[in-house]
Amino acid sequence: MSDEQVRYDQARYVEDGQYEPLLSEKDLTRVDVDDDSPLPDDLTRDSLELPELSEPELARHYTRLSQMIYGIDTGPYPLGSCTMKYNPKFTEDVAALPSAGVHPDRSEESVQGTLELLYRLQDYLGRIGGMDAVTLQPPAGAAGEFVGIRVATAYHEHNGEDHRDEVIIPESAHGTNFATAALGGYDVVSLPSDDEGRVDLEALEAALSEDTAALMLTNPNTLGLFERDITEIAEMVHDVGGLLYYDGANLNALLGRARPGDMGFDVMHYNVHKTFATPHGGGGPGAGPVGVAEKLEPFLPAPRVREAEGDADYELFDPEHTIGKVHGYQGNWLVLIKAFAYIARLGDEGLADASAKAVLNANYLASQIGYDVPYEPFHHEFVASAGDQDAADVAKRMLDYGVHPPTTKWPEIVPEALMTEPTEVESKDTLDRLAAAFDAVAEEDDETLEAAPERTTARRIDQTNAARDPQLSWHTLEDGE
Ligand SMILES: *Cc1c(COP(=O)(O)O)cnc(C)c1O
């Protein structure tokens, strides 16, 4: 049976109303458990209900579930801005080492190896970003943004400049930038792009004032375009006393080649789950370390790790004017291990090679597809336009061709945007397969597109309703529901 046939049969299976039932929906049996626990009776139980299953049934249940989903281990995942790269399994092995399972409450002296890894990761990230100091605590890019903006606020307040109440953000920015600024208590000043898709310097000049706390930028921007005027932009922001924030989600384009710190950025977050390997999407754990220039170091979250003077090699310390703690212990430790292992394995040359191939792959793919790509020259991602087709329908239809679609409808400067980022991990064969899927969908009529996806396990999901009326606990589907 061909791959396509298998996928098709799965879809039929679901259409017939035969979802793979949860284990808790199978026949349950009450089993006695030996109670030799030292805990009080009201904290223990002497029996529990478990599904009655043989090993093959269990293995098949999970295998079937794994076949119903699409993931980075199934095929290409060119979701622009998200940098969905294949995550090498050796990083999982490293994170699964028994010695990685340290209890976070252990004494500093007894976890010197853990602290050394964190210290070296702070150092790696600082050097990659051109930043003087790094905190590893924030658990995601968005959380990193919030920490970065809180640090900026603390810095301005410390300098007696708490009148600064505006954060400037390009229209094309990620939604989290606007949310971060608003959550940080700032008024958002939205910046239009120029005809070429970059920051409009005249508009920036007009937006800057002594009320400016920061300008948030990603570079290359969400169109994949490098902000060529970045040095001038940095000067303009600094001239009015503002700070320049770097959204690190697009770092994959610059890795080992250019550094935000050298461009004049004062503070940045790293989406380590995008740039440095960790499966993400579906809300999986990530980490959003924040790097800062020296002048912002005293405000970073507490604690950080530094080399110790006494008997121990490494110790925790609280920066002088810290904004406080933003996460339990040191952040998402297992994710940080994977980032460390990935960077250490690739080294300087490997990182530079990754960004080169990420840019090459994006440019090759764009050259192979029929859809128009209005803004160039782009780096690690490009934004094609679906033209007269609805980009969301195009995305659904691409699933029927066995590939994951790009990010759609954003940035809004490109009509019916298909924001595509193949990443460095895909081979030419895979990129050709992806291009063939784009081109096949480009030829299809609205009726076909609107009916898609036909061959996936789940068909069109009512996303609006799922967001407005979420079912937060499991219940079995009744007939006709
Ligand atoms: C993914 C992304 C973010 C947010 O990062 P999370 O780690 O998902 O919280 C911010 N900005 C851009 C441009 C992104 O692509």
PDB file of all heavy atoms in Angstrom, residues 7 37 52 63-64 103 122 178 183-184 223 228 230 234 260 266 274 314 326 359 410 432 458 461 475 481:
ATOM      1  N   ARG A   7      -2.655   6.930   4.357  1.00  0.00           N
ATOM      2  CA  ARG A   7      -3.245   8.143   4.943  1.00  0.00           C
ATOM      3  C   ARG A   7      -4.735   8.223   4.623  1.00  0.00           C
ATOM      4  O   ARG A   7      -5.543   8.600   5.437  1.00  0.00           O
ATOM      5  CB  ARG A   7      -2.522   9.379   4.410  1.00  0.00           C
ATOM      6  CG  ARG A   7      -1.417   9.842   5.324  1.00  0.00           C
ATOM      7  CD  ARG A   7      -0.891  11.174   4.884  1.00  0.00           C
ATOM      8  NE  ARG A   7      -0.120  11.040   3.674  1.00  0.00           N
ATOM      9  CZ  ARG A   7       1.165  10.693   3.660  1.00  0.00           C
ATOM     10  NH1 ARG A   7       1.800  10.503   4.786  1.00  0.00           N
ATOM     11  NH2 ARG A   7       1.804  10.561   2.543  1.00  0.00           N
ATOM     12  N   SER A  37       3.039   1.687  51.972  1.00  0.00           N
ATOM     13  CA  SER A  37       3.597   3.039  51.941  1.00  0.00           C
ATOM     14  C   SER A  37       3.649   3.622  53.357  1.00  0.00           C
ATOM     15  O   SER A  37       2.744   3.395  54.162  1.00  0.00           O
ATOM     16  CB  SER A  37       2.709   3.909  51.049  1.00  0.00           C
ATOM     17  OG  SER A  37       2.906   5.254  51.356  1.00  0.00           O
ATOM     18  N   GLU A  52      -7.857  -3.026  30.971  1.00  0.00           N
ATOM     19  CA  GLU A  52      -7.384  -4.413  30.839  1.00  0.00           C
ATOM     20  C   GLU A  52      -6.803  -4.579  29.443  1.00  0.00           C
ATOM     21  O   GLU A  52      -7.541  -4.617  28.454  1.00  0.00           O
ATOM     22  CB  GLU A  52      -8.574  -5.345  31.009  1.00  0.00           C
ATOM     23  CG  GLU A  52      -8.215  -6.653  31.622  1.00  0.00           C
ATOM     24  CD  GLU A  52      -9.475  -7.449  31.938  1.00  0.00           C
ATOM     25  OE1 GLU A  52     -10.555  -6.841  32.094  1.00  0.00           O
ATOM     26  OE2 GLU A  52      -9.376  -8.669  32.009  1.00  0.00           O
ATOM     27  N   THR A  63       1.023   3.187  18.766  1.00  0.00           N
ATOM     28  CA  THR A  63       1.500   3.282  17.388  1.00  0.00           C
ATOM     29  C   THR A  63       0.420   3.899  16.505  1.00  0.00           C
ATOM     30  O   THR A  63       0.695   4.758  15.682  1.00  0.00           O
ATOM     31  CB  THR A  63       1.913   1.894  16.858  1.00  0.00           C
ATOM     32  OG1 THR A  63       2.856   1.340  17.778  1.00  0.00           O
ATOM     33  CG2 THR A  63       2.546   1.994  15.489  1.00  0.00           C
ATOM     34  N   ARG A  64      -0.841   3.469  16.712  1.00  0.00           N
ATOM     35  CA  ARG A  64      -1.932   4.051  15.914  1.00  0.00           C
ATOM     36  C   ARG A  64      -2.031   5.550  16.158  1.00  0.00           C
ATOM     37  O   ARG A  64      -2.164   6.334  15.218  1.00  0.00           O
ATOM     38  CB  ARG A  64      -3.265   3.373  16.251  1.00  0.00           C
ATOM     39  CG  ARG A  64      -3.484   2.079  15.480  1.00  0.00           C
ATOM     40  CD  ARG A  64      -4.951   1.685  15.476  1.00  0.00           C
ATOM     41  NE  ARG A  64      -5.426   1.349  16.806  1.00  0.00           N
ATOM     42  CZ  ARG A  64      -5.480   0.100  17.288  1.00  0.00           C
ATOM     43  NH1 ARG A  64      -5.100  -0.920  16.539  1.00  0.00           N
ATOM     44  NH2 ARG A  64      -5.926  -0.126  18.500  1.00  0.00           N
ATOM     45  N   HIS A 103      17.890  16.626  41.713  1.00  0.00           N
ATOM     46  CA  HIS A 103      16.827  17.356  42.387  1.00  0.00           C
ATOM     47  C   HIS A 103      17.223  18.829  42.494  1.00  0.00           C
ATOM     48  O   HIS A 103      18.337  19.144  42.907  1.00  0.00           O
ATOM     49  CB  HIS A 103      16.573  16.780  43.789  1.00  0.00           C
ATOM     50  CG  HIS A 103      15.287  17.294  44.352  1.00  0.00           C
ATOM     51  ND1 HIS A 103      15.168  18.557  44.883  1.00  0.00           N
ATOM     52  CD2 HIS A 103      14.058  16.740  44.432  1.00  0.00           C
ATOM     53  CE1 HIS A 103      13.919  18.758  45.265  1.00  0.00           C
ATOM     54  NE2 HIS A 103      13.223  17.662  44.997  1.00  0.00           N
ATOM     55  N   GLN A 122      25.145  29.875  29.369  1.00  0.00           N
ATOM     56  CA  GLN A 122      25.060  31.345  29.426  1.00  0.00           C
ATOM     57  C   GLN A 122      26.149  31.951  28.540  1.00  0.00           C
ATOM     58  O   GLN A 122      25.928  32.887  27.776  1.00  0.00           O
ATOM     59  CB  GLN A 122      25.286  31.846  30.867  1.00  0.00           C
ATOM     60  CG  GLN A 122      24.128  31.612  31.813  1.00  0.00           C
ATOM     61  CD  GLN A 122      24.451  32.027  33.271  1.00  0.00           C
ATOM     62  OE1 GLN A 122      23.629  31.869  34.141  1.00  0.00           O
ATOM     63  NE2 GLN A 122      25.639  32.543  33.532  1.00  0.00           N
ATOM     64  N   PHE A 178       3.605  42.703  20.519  1.00  0.00           N
ATOM     65  CA  PHE A 178       2.573  43.667  20.920  1.00  0.00           C
ATOM     66  C   PHE A 178       2.030  43.301  22.300  1.00  0.00           C
ATOM     67  O   PHE A 178       1.833  44.160  23.152  1.00  0.00           O
ATOM     68  CB  PHE A 178       1.423  43.682  19.891  1.00  0.00           C
ATOM     69  CG  PHE A 178       1.890  43.983  18.490  1.00  0.00           C
ATOM     70  CD1 PHE A 178       2.162  42.973  17.585  1.00  0.00           C
ATOM     71  CD2 PHE A 178       2.076  45.299  18.087  1.00  0.00           C
ATOM     72  CE1 PHE A 178       2.611  43.251  16.304  1.00  0.00           C
ATOM     73  CE2 PHE A 178       2.524  45.597  16.803  1.00  0.00           C
ATOM     74  CZ  PHE A 178       2.796  44.560  15.908  1.00  0.00           C
ATOM     75  N   LEU A 183       1.423  44.139  28.036  1.00  0.00           N
ATOM     76  CA  LEU A 183       1.466  43.517  29.362  1.00  0.00           C
ATOM     77  C   LEU A 183       2.479  44.227  30.259  1.00  0.00           C
ATOM     78  O   LEU A 183       2.320  44.295  31.478  1.00  0.00           O
ATOM     79  CB  LEU A 183       1.869  42.047  29.195  1.00  0.00           C
ATOM     80  CG  LEU A 183       1.338  41.021  30.170  1.00  0.00           C
ATOM     81  CD1 LEU A 183      -0.176  40.986  30.132  1.00  0.00           C
ATOM     82  CD2 LEU A 183       1.890  39.635  29.801  1.00  0.00           C
ATOM     83  N   GLY A 184       3.512  44.776  29.640  1.00  0.00           N
ATOM     84  CA  GLY A 184       4.519  45.528  30.389  1.00  0.00           C
ATOM     85  C   GLY A 184       4.047  46.924  30.762  1.00  0.00           C
ATOM     86  O   GLY A 184       4.801  47.692  31.346  1.00  0.00           O
ATOM     87  N   LEU A 223       9.579  38.942   6.968  1.00  0.00           N
ATOM     88  CA  LEU A 223       9.583  38.653   5.531  1.00  0.00           C
ATOM     89  C   LEU A 223      10.879  37.958   5.137  1.00  0.00           C
ATOM     90  O   LEU A 223      11.108  37.655   3.969  1.00  0.00           O
ATOM     91  CB  LEU A 223       9.446  39.956   4.727  1.00  0.00           C
ATOM     92  CG  LEU A 223       8.096  40.667   4.810  1.00  0.00           C
ATOM     93  CD1 LEU A 223       8.212  42.091   4.277  1.00  0.00           C
ATOM     94  CD2 LEU A 223       7.024  39.907   4.053  1.00  0.00           C
ATOM     95  N   ARG A 228      18.879  46.364   6.528  1.00  0.00           N
ATOM     96  CA  ARG A 228      20.214  46.860   6.164  1.00  0.00           C
ATOM     97  C   ARG A 228      20.600  48.106   6.947  1.00  0.00           C
ATOM     98  O   ARG A 228      21.777  48.394   7.129  1.00  0.00           O
ATOM     99  CB  ARG A 228      20.245  47.223   4.690  1.00  0.00           C
ATOM    100  CG  ARG A 228      20.081  46.038   3.796  1.00  0.00           C
ATOM    101  CD  ARG A 228      20.096  46.545   2.355  1.00  0.00           C
ATOM    102  NE  ARG A 228      19.824  45.468   1.443  1.00  0.00           N
ATOM    103  CZ  ARG A 228      19.004  45.591   0.398  1.00  0.00           C
ATOM    104  NH1 ARG A 228      18.394  46.740   0.166  1.00  0.00           N
ATOM    105  NH2 ARG A 228      18.804  44.567  -0.399  1.00  0.00           N
ATOM    106  N   ILE A 230      20.292  48.709   9.992  1.00  0.00           N
ATOM    107  CA  ILE A 230      20.211  48.413  11.422  1.00  0.00           C
ATOM    108  C   ILE A 230      21.136  49.300  12.270  1.00  0.00           C
ATOM    109  O   ILE A 230      20.754  49.728  13.358  1.00  0.00           O
ATOM    110  CB  ILE A 230      20.433  46.897  11.710  1.00  0.00           C
ATOM    111  CG1 ILE A 230      20.117  46.585  13.167  1.00  0.00           C
ATOM    112  CG2 ILE A 230      21.810  46.428  11.346  1.00  0.00           C
ATOM    113  CD1 ILE A 230      18.699  46.882  13.585  1.00  0.00           C
ATOM    114  N   ALA A 234      19.751  51.645  15.190  1.00  0.00           N
ATOM    115  CA  ALA A 234      20.233  51.567  16.576  1.00  0.00           C
ATOM    116  C   ALA A 234      20.642  52.953  17.071  1.00  0.00           C
ATOM    117  O   ALA A 234      20.304  53.355  18.192  1.00  0.00           O
ATOM    118  CB  ALA A 234      21.404  50.596  16.668  1.00  0.00           C
ATOM    119  N   PRO A 260      23.417  40.055  16.954  1.00  0.00           N
ATOM    120  CA  PRO A 260      22.574  41.190  17.314  1.00  0.00           C
ATOM    121  C   PRO A 260      23.331  42.231  18.159  1.00  0.00           C
ATOM    122  O   PRO A 260      23.177  43.430  17.937  1.00  0.00           O
ATOM    123  CB  PRO A 260      21.436  40.556  18.116  1.00  0.00           C
ATOM    124  CG  PRO A 260      21.371  39.143  17.628  1.00  0.00           C
ATOM    125  CD  PRO A 260      22.762  38.761  17.242  1.00  0.00           C
ATOM    126  N   ASP A 266      20.431  45.957  22.491  1.00  0.00           N
ATOM    127  CA  ASP A 266      20.783  45.989  23.918  1.00  0.00           C
ATOM    128  C   ASP A 266      20.278  44.774  24.666  1.00  0.00           C
ATOM    129  O   ASP A 266      20.798  44.427  25.726  1.00  0.00           O
ATOM    130  CB  ASP A 266      20.147  47.231  24.584  1.00  0.00           C
ATOM    131  CG  ASP A 266      20.547  48.508  23.891  1.00  0.00           C
ATOM    132  OD1 ASP A 266      21.714  48.892  23.991  1.00  0.00           O
ATOM    133  OD2 ASP A 266      19.671  49.119  23.223  1.00  0.00           O
ATOM    134  N   LYS A 274      13.610  26.777  19.023  1.00  0.00           N
ATOM    135  CA  LYS A 274      13.582  26.943  17.571  1.00  0.00           C
ATOM    136  C   LYS A 274      14.995  26.783  17.003  1.00  0.00           C
ATOM    137  O   LYS A 274      15.216  26.010  16.086  1.00  0.00           O
ATOM    138  CB  LYS A 274      13.045  28.329  17.201  1.00  0.00           C
ATOM    139  CG  LYS A 274      11.592  28.537  17.578  1.00  0.00           C
ATOM    140  CD  LYS A 274      11.086  29.934  17.217  1.00  0.00           C
ATOM    141  CE  LYS A 274       9.637  30.087  17.658  1.00  0.00           C
ATOM    142  NZ  LYS A 274       9.124  31.446  17.452  1.00  0.00           N
ATOM    143  N   TYR A 314      31.494  26.862  40.872  1.00  0.00           N
ATOM    144  CA  TYR A 314      30.381  27.689  40.382  1.00  0.00           C
ATOM    145  C   TYR A 314      29.411  27.971  41.512  1.00  0.00           C
ATOM    146  O   TYR A 314      29.270  27.175  42.443  1.00  0.00           O
ATOM    147  CB  TYR A 314      29.656  26.983  39.230  1.00  0.00           C
ATOM    148  CG  TYR A 314      30.576  26.733  38.063  1.00  0.00           C
ATOM    149  CD1 TYR A 314      31.255  25.524  37.935  1.00  0.00           C
ATOM    150  CD2 TYR A 314      30.807  27.728  37.124  1.00  0.00           C
ATOM    151  CE1 TYR A 314      32.151  25.315  36.892  1.00  0.00           C
ATOM    152  CE2 TYR A 314      31.697  27.521  36.072  1.00  0.00           C
ATOM    153  CZ  TYR A 314      32.366  26.322  35.963  1.00  0.00           C
ATOM    154  OH  TYR A 314      33.247  26.121  34.940  1.00  0.00           O
ATOM    155  N   VAL A 326      11.701  34.690  37.805  1.00  0.00           N
ATOM    156  CA  VAL A 326      10.629  34.569  36.813  1.00  0.00           C
ATOM    157  C   VAL A 326      10.263  33.110  36.518  1.00  0.00           C
ATOM    158  O   VAL A 326       9.362  32.850  35.724  1.00  0.00           O
ATOM    159  CB  VAL A 326      10.984  35.283  35.492  1.00  0.00           C
ATOM    160  CG1 VAL A 326      11.196  36.768  35.736  1.00  0.00           C
ATOM    161  CG2 VAL A 326      12.207  34.675  34.831  1.00  0.00           C
ATOM    162  N   VAL A 359      19.489  29.361   4.771  1.00  0.00           N
ATOM    163  CA  VAL A 359      19.259  30.407   3.763  1.00  0.00           C
ATOM    164  C   VAL A 359      19.225  29.793   2.360  1.00  0.00           C
ATOM    165  O   VAL A 359      18.356  30.114   1.541  1.00  0.00           O
ATOM    166  CB  VAL A 359      20.349  31.504   3.879  1.00  0.00           C
ATOM    167  CG1 VAL A 359      20.226  32.518   2.738  1.00  0.00           C
ATOM    168  CG2 VAL A 359      20.249  32.207   5.239  1.00  0.00           C
ATOM    169  N   TRP A 410       0.102  35.763   7.519  1.00  0.00           N
ATOM    170  CA  TRP A 410       0.957  36.655   8.299  1.00  0.00           C
ATOM    171  C   TRP A 410       2.355  36.578   7.741  1.00  0.00           C
ATOM    172  O   TRP A 410       2.789  35.474   7.416  1.00  0.00           O
ATOM    173  CB  TRP A 410       0.934  36.209   9.788  1.00  0.00           C
ATOM    174  CG  TRP A 410       1.894  36.975  10.631  1.00  0.00           C
ATOM    175  CD1 TRP A 410       1.850  38.315  10.909  1.00  0.00           C
ATOM    176  CD2 TRP A 410       3.067  36.467  11.289  1.00  0.00           C
ATOM    177  NE1 TRP A 410       2.916  38.659  11.694  1.00  0.00           N
ATOM    178  CE2 TRP A 410       3.677  37.552  11.940  1.00  0.00           C
ATOM    179  CE3 TRP A 410       3.676  35.216  11.372  1.00  0.00           C
ATOM    180  CZ2 TRP A 410       4.860  37.420  12.666  1.00  0.00           C
ATOM    181  CZ3 TRP A 410       4.846  35.080  12.096  1.00  0.00           C
ATOM    182  CH2 TRP A 410       5.426  36.170  12.747  1.00  0.00           C
ATOM    183  N   ASP A 432      12.151  19.329  -3.082  1.00  0.00           N
ATOM    184  CA  ASP A 432      11.454  19.140  -4.363  1.00  0.00           C
ATOM    185  C   ASP A 432      10.042  18.595  -4.143  1.00  0.00           C
ATOM    186  O   ASP A 432       9.091  18.972  -4.826  1.00  0.00           O
ATOM    187  CB  ASP A 432      12.258  18.189  -5.270  1.00  0.00           C
ATOM    188  CG  ASP A 432      13.519  18.864  -5.816  1.00  0.00           C
ATOM    189  OD1 ASP A 432      13.559  20.109  -5.859  1.00  0.00           O
ATOM    190  OD2 ASP A 432      14.473  18.134  -6.171  1.00  0.00           O
ATOM    191  N   ALA A 458      -7.976  13.869  11.132  1.00  0.00           N
ATOM    192  CA  ALA A 458      -9.067  14.784  11.463  1.00  0.00           C
ATOM    193  C   ALA A 458      -9.283  15.681  10.252  1.00  0.00           C
ATOM    194  O   ALA A 458      -8.329  16.100   9.612  1.00  0.00           O
ATOM    195  CB  ALA A 458      -8.702  15.613  12.677  1.00  0.00           C
ATOM    196  N   ILE A 461     -11.212  21.334  11.333  1.00  0.00           N
ATOM    197  CA  ILE A 461     -11.537  21.524  12.739  1.00  0.00           C
ATOM    198  C   ILE A 461     -12.216  22.879  12.869  1.00  0.00           C
ATOM    199  O   ILE A 461     -11.834  23.817  12.179  1.00  0.00           O
ATOM    200  CB  ILE A 461     -10.233  21.568  13.583  1.00  0.00           C
ATOM    201  CG1 ILE A 461      -9.288  20.442  13.193  1.00  0.00           C
ATOM    202  CG2 ILE A 461     -10.534  21.612  15.048  1.00  0.00           C
ATOM    203  CD1 ILE A 461      -9.437  19.178  13.932  1.00  0.00           C
ATOM    204  N   HIS A 475     -14.398  14.029  27.348  1.00  0.00           N
ATOM    205  CA  HIS A 475     -15.605  13.231  27.461  1.00  0.00           C
ATOM    206  C   HIS A 475     -15.753  12.450  26.158  1.00  0.00           C
ATOM    207  O   HIS A 475     -15.326  12.887  25.105  1.00  0.00           O
ATOM    208  CB  HIS A 475     -16.838  14.097  27.735  1.00  0.00           C
ATOM    209  CG  HIS A 475     -17.228  14.971  26.583  1.00  0.00           C
ATOM    210  ND1 HIS A 475     -16.616  16.162  26.332  1.00  0.00           N
ATOM    211  CD2 HIS A 475     -18.153  14.803  25.618  1.00  0.00           C
ATOM    212  CE1 HIS A 475     -17.155  16.713  25.245  1.00  0.00           C
ATOM    213  NE2 HIS A 475     -18.077  15.907  24.791  1.00  0.00           N
ATOM    214  N   GLU A 481     -22.767  13.618  17.984  1.00  0.00           N
ATOM    215  CA  GLU A 481     -22.173  14.819  18.553  1.00  0.00           C
ATOM    216  C   GLU A 481     -21.108  15.395  17.641  1.00  0.00           C
ATOM    217  O   GLU A 481     -20.429  14.659  16.957  1.00  0.00           O
ATOM    218  CB  GLU A 481     -21.562  14.499  19.907  1.00  0.00           C
ATOM    219  CG  GLU A 481     -21.695  15.669  20.885  1.00  0.00           C
ATOM    220  CD  GLU A 481     -21.091  15.321  22.212  1.00  0.00           C
ATOM    221  OE1 GLU A 481     -21.234  14.146  22.628  1.00  0.00           O
ATOM    222  OE2 GLU A 481     -20.477  16.182  22.833  1.00  0.00           O
TER     223      GLU A 481
END
